[in-house]
Amino acid sequence: MKDVAARAGVGLKTVSRVVNGEPGVTADTERRVQEAIESLGFRRNDSARVLRKGRTASVGLVLEDLADPFYGPLSRAVEEVARAHGALLINGSSAEDPEREQELALALCARRVDGLIVIPAGHDHRYLEPEIKAGIATVFVDRPPGLIDADAVLSDSCGGARAGVAQLIAHGHRRIGFIGDQPRIHTAVERLRGYRAAMEDAELPVHPSWVSLGSTAPERVRGAVEEMLTGPEPVTAVFAGNNRVTVTVVRALAGRERRTALVGFDDIELADLLGITVIAQDAALLGRTAAERLFRRLDGFNDEPAHMTLATRLIARGSGEIPPQ
Amino acid sequence: MKDVAARAGVGLKTVSRVVNGEPGVTADTERRVQEAIESLGFRRNDSARVLRKGRTASVGLVLEDLADPFYGPLSRAVEEVARAHGALLINGSSAEDPEREQELALALCARRVDGLIVIPAGHDHRYLEPEIKAGIATVFVDRPPGLIDADAVLSDSCGGARAGVAQLIAHGHRRIGFIGDQPRIHTAVERLRGYRAAMEDAELPVHPSWVSLGSTAPERVRGAVEEMLTGPEPVTAVFAGNNRVTVTVVRALAGRERRTALVGFDDIELADLLGITVIAQDAALLGRTAAERLFRRLDGFNDEPAHMTLATRLIARGSGEIPPQ
DNA sequence: ATGAAAGCGCTAACAA
DNA sequence: TTGTTAGCGCTTTCAT
C-alpha cells in the first residue's frame, strides 16, 4: 500500500480510501491510485486489516465429518448465511474426537473468528467460556453444549424416534430392535429414549437384546442385526439410529428370505427407490437456523442463550409398513 | 500479551517465548508466565502473528457445492492433509458461477492463505496470475485451469466414459444415449468425448437425439430420458454423465415396463443395492493428491506445473449388463 | 536468560 | 480533499 501511495504520488490514507471505496477522493486522484494498484498488482492484506479492525469477517464451523452426507448440506447452509453477511467460513472435522474438537475450536478462536458454530464431539465445553466471554459468539448445533450455557439448535431426536417406532407398532410389530450410534453421542441417547418412550406408550416390553448402541462401522452394525434376528426373542422390525446405521441395516436385511420392517433416522439419497421409511431431519435448516442465530448475536442481539428444537418428519415409503412375518 | 507480561513481571519477549515454546526461559519464569496466562485467559492473537510472519497456516478450497456428495469426501481429504501440515481449511462454494469463483478465490488471497485449491467454475483464470506470482501456491482439481499454466489433478473422464459405454456395447447395445451436465463444464465435455470414442471404436453411429447436455435439474434430465426412449431411434441403454444425472435417470427408468440398461459416472451411496453399474472416481484421492501437491509447493518444490490424471474404475452391478430389450 | 525497540500493513483520529 | 501520526498484537533483531 505504501508502494502504491508512492507510485501514485499520494498519501497512504488516500490509497486506503480508494481501496475501501470511502468518499472524499477526487475522480482524478482515484484514477491515479487505481492505475498504481493495477500496475503493482496490489491486493489489500486482510490480515493487517483484521488486526486493526478487530473483526475478521469469518466464522468457524467445527463438525464431525465433512464427508458425511448429513453435514454437507448443513455446512453449505452455514456458508450461504455467512456469505450473505460478507463472511468466510473456516471449517474442520473433529472426527468425533473431543480433543480434536477442542483443538480446532481454540485454533479458530486464536484466529479471532467472529463467531463459532460447533457440533460437539465432547461433553465439556467449559474450555470455550473465556472465548465466549472475550466476545466470540458461539452457537451449538445438532447436539447441545456440555457444562456451559449457550445457544443450541437441535433436531427433535427423541420425538422423531418415538414417531418412527410408533409407526412400526401401528403396523403390528411388538418385537422391535434399536440399533444406534455410540452412547456418548447425545443424539444416539435421545433417539434411544424416543424408542423406549414409544414402546412404553404401547405397553410393550423391551428385551435387552433388542437394544444395541455402538460404532457405526458396518461389521458392528451387521453383527447387531444378526443377533437381533436370530436371538431368543427375534425382532420383526428394526429402528436404525442414523444414516450410517440405516445403510448397513438395509444391506444386512437385503439378503434375507424373511422380510424385516425398517425405519431409519435421517433421510438418505435413493431411499425413495429402495422404499425405505425414514424420519427426516432438515440438515440445511439446522445449519441455516444456527448461522442466523450467530449473526444476530454478532449484530448485537443479546438475549439469554436458548435451545431451539426443530421438528422431524416421518416419510413412509414401505419398509416401515411391512407387517410382522 | 502485554498484560500477561505486566502481570508476570517480565518482558514482552519472554511471554512470546513461553507461548511459542522457544528455549531460553528458566523453569521458574515460565511457571510465572503460565500462571499469568491462565488467570488472564490469554490466547495468542494469530492475526497479529500472521501479519508479522507472513504465513497464515491456512489453505483455501474453492469448490462447486459443499453439499454435493462428491465434494464432501474431496474436501475432507484436503482437510486431513492440511491438518497434517498444521494448516486450517477455508472453503467456499462457487455454485458453478465463474464470478463467484473469482470473488471467493480473491477473497482467500486477500486473507493471504498460503495455498489455494480450486475446482474451477469458469474458464479464465488469468485473474490468479498476479496472486500466483506473489507466492500463493495454486492447484486445480477435478477440472483444468483456463488460460494459465498451473498444477491440476484430474480424473480420467474421457477414458472412464469410454469404458462405461464400451461395457454397454459389449452387452449388445447399439443405440445408447448420453445425458450429461452443462457443456461449459469441462468434465461433461470430456465424458461426452469418451462416449463418442467408444461408439466410434465399435463403429456405431450416434444419432443426434441420443446426446443431451444441460442442467442436472431433475425435470431436464427426466425430459431427456423420455425423449431418448420414445424418439424415432429409441435407445436401449443410457450413459449418465455424473452422480446428479444418474439418480434422476434411475428414478425415471424405475417406473417403466421395458428395462433400459444404465451406466453412471460417479459412484453413489446405495448404488450397490439398486444394482447400478458405475464408473467410480475416487474423490478423496483427488483431494488428497491435490493437497499433497500443494504442500510440496509450499515446502519449496518448484518444478514446472503439471497435470496428472487419476484412473477411474468400472463397477459392474447389473444395470449396465442388462441386454437390449 | 531476558528485554527494548522496530516494524509487519493496515485503519482511526485528527490536522492541514 | 488530502496527509500525518499512532497503534492493532505480535515477532525479529540486537542489546544487555
Side-chain angles (χ1 to χ4, degrees), chain B residues 135-157:
Chain B
I136 297 185
T138 303
V139 175
F140 290 80
V141 66
D142 190 44
R143 305 168 189 176
L147 307 182
I148 66 168
D149 191 22
D151 283 326
V153 180
L154 310 171
S155 271
D156 182 13
S157 282

Side-chain angles (χ1 to χ4, degrees), chain A residues 7-132:
Chain A
R7 171 101 175 201
V10 301
L12 203 56
K13 180 64 199 174
T14 302
V15 179
S16 174
R17 286 201 182 89
V18 172
V19 169
N20 295 299
E22 287 168 29
V25 183
T26 24
D28 185 58
T29 317
E30 170 156 4
R31 197 187 38 70
R32 286 208 336 274
V33 172
Q34 286 292 8
E35 268 173 27
I37 287 177
E38 294 284 317
S39 73
L40 268 58
F42 167 84
R43 202 90 59 184
R44 178 181 67 198
N45 183 331
D46 274 354
S47 300
R49 174 168 227 251
V50 157
L51 182 58
R52 194 58 241 245
K53 305 203 76 155
R55 277 216 167 184
T56 56
S58 59
V59 299
L61 171 61
V62 178
L63 37 72
E64 188 235 316
D65 180 3
L66 205 42
D68 185 315
F70 178 72
Y71 295 113
L74 192 155
S75 198
R76 175 70 196 267
V78 172
E79 187 206 336
E80 288 300 332
V81 176
R83 183 176 130 86
H85 289 260
L88 286 178
L89 177 65
I90 309 181
N91 49 18
S93 308
S94 69
E96 212 65 270
D97 173 352
E99 266 186 57
R100 206 166 141 178
E101 173 211 308
Q102 174 168 346
E103 191 184 292
L104 248 169
L106 290 179
L108 292 167
C109 291
R111 302 265 165 141
R112 296 295 189 270
V113 291
D114 296 332
L116 200 54
I117 296 183
V118 180
I119 295 170
H123 293 99
D124 182 354
H125 297 97
R126 284 175 298 184
Y127 72 87
L128 277 175
E129 250 169 353
E131 312 295 338
I132 293 173

Side-chain angles (χ1 to χ4, degrees), chain B residues 164-215:
Chain B
V165 174
Q167 172 85 342
L168 291 167
I169 295 171
H171 283 80
H173 296 274
R174 298 181 51 80
R175 298 196 307 279
I176 303 172
F178 178 94
I179 305 180
D181 209 330
Q182 317 259 23
R184 62 182 155 80
I185 298 176
H186 181 263
T187 50
V189 175
E190 281 297 292
R191 289 165 199 178
L192 176 56
R193 204 159 66 79
Y195 160 84
R196 289 196 190 280
M199 295 297 270
E200 200 163 315
D201 290 343
E203 296 181 6
L204 294 174
V206 173
H207 193 276
S209 71
W210 297 348
V211 172
S212 172
L213 295 192
S215 141

Side-chain angles (χ1 to χ4, degrees), chain A residues 9-323:
Chain A
V10 301
L12 203 56
K13 180 64 199 174
T14 302
V15 179
S16 174
R17 286 201 182 89
V18 172
V19 169
N20 295 299
E22 287 168 29
V25 183
T26 24
D28 185 58
T29 317
E30 170 156 4
R31 197 187 38 70
R32 286 208 336 274
V33 172
Q34 286 292 8
E35 268 173 27
I37 287 177
E38 294 284 317
S39 73
L40 268 58
F42 167 84
R43 202 90 59 184
R44 178 181 67 198
N45 183 331
D46 274 354
S47 300
R49 174 168 227 251
V50 157
L51 182 58
R52 194 58 241 245
K53 305 203 76 155
R55 277 216 167 184
T56 56
S58 59
V59 299
L61 171 61
V62 178
L63 37 72
E64 188 235 316
D65 180 3
L66 205 42
D68 185 315
F70 178 72
Y71 295 113
L74 192 155
S75 198
R76 175 70 196 267
V78 172
E79 187 206 336
E80 288 300 332
V81 176
R83 183 176 130 86
H85 289 260
L88 286 178
L89 177 65
I90 309 181
N91 49 18
S93 308
S94 69
E96 212 65 270
D97 173 352
E99 266 186 57
R100 206 166 141 178
E101 173 211 308
Q102 174 168 346
E103 191 184 292
L104 248 169
L106 290 179
L108 292 167
C109 291
R111 302 265 165 141
R112 296 295 189 270
V113 291
D114 296 332
L116 200 54
I117 296 183
V118 180
I119 295 170
H123 293 99
D124 182 354
H125 297 97
R126 284 175 298 184
Y127 72 87
L128 277 175
E129 250 169 353
E131 312 295 338
I132 293 173
K133 217 166 283 165
I136 297 186
T138 303
V139 175
F140 290 80
V141 66
D142 190 44
R143 306 168 189 175
L147 308 181
I148 67 168
D149 191 22
D151 284 326
V153 180
L154 311 171
S155 270
D156 182 13
S157 282
C158 177
R162 190 174 191 161
V165 175
Q167 173 84 344
L168 291 167
I169 294 171
H171 283 80
H173 296 273
R174 298 179 52 81
R175 298 196 307 278
I176 303 172
F178 178 94
I179 305 180
D181 209 329
Q182 319 259 23
R184 62 184 157 81
I185 298 176
H186 180 264
T187 50
V189 175
E190 279 300 291
R191 289 166 199 178
L192 176 56
R193 203 158 68 77
Y195 161 83
R196 288 197 190 281
M199 294 298 271
E200 200 162 314
D201 290 343
E203 296 180 5
L204 293 174
V206 173
H207 193 277
S209 71
W210 297 348
V211 172
S212 171
L213 294 193
S215 142
T216 58
E219 316 81 60
R220 205 285 296 180
V221 173
R222 276 184 180 279
V225 172
E226 189 64 33
E227 278 179 36
M228 286 184 193
L229 291 180
T230 59
E233 294 279 341
V235 301
T236 61
V238 172
F239 186 87
N242 71 21
N243 60 352
R244 300 296 85 207
V245 174
T246 304
V247 297
T248 304
V249 172
V250 172
R251 290 196 178 105
L253 294 179
R256 307 190 159 263
E257 72 291 354
R258 207 180 62 211
R259 294 190 70 202
T260 302
L262 168 68
V263 174
F265 209 106
D266 294 330
D267 202 3
I268 310 178
E269 183 147 82
L270 296 182
D272 55 331
L273 286 177
L274 289 163
I276 306 172
T277 295
V278 299
I279 303 297
Q281 51 175 333
D282 191 335
L285 182 61
L286 222 47
R288 186 157 10 101
T289 309
E292 276 164 359
R293 182 86 182 175
L294 186 72
F295 280 98
R296 285 227 314 186
R297 292 248 178 237
L298 293 180
D299 290 345
F301 170 80
N302 223 348
D303 265 17
E304 286 299 294
H307 286 206
M308 55 194 99
T309 302
L310 305 183
T312 57
R313 196 164 49 94
L314 171 74
I315 307 177
R317 296 196 179 111
S319 75
E321 294 70 38
I322 298 170

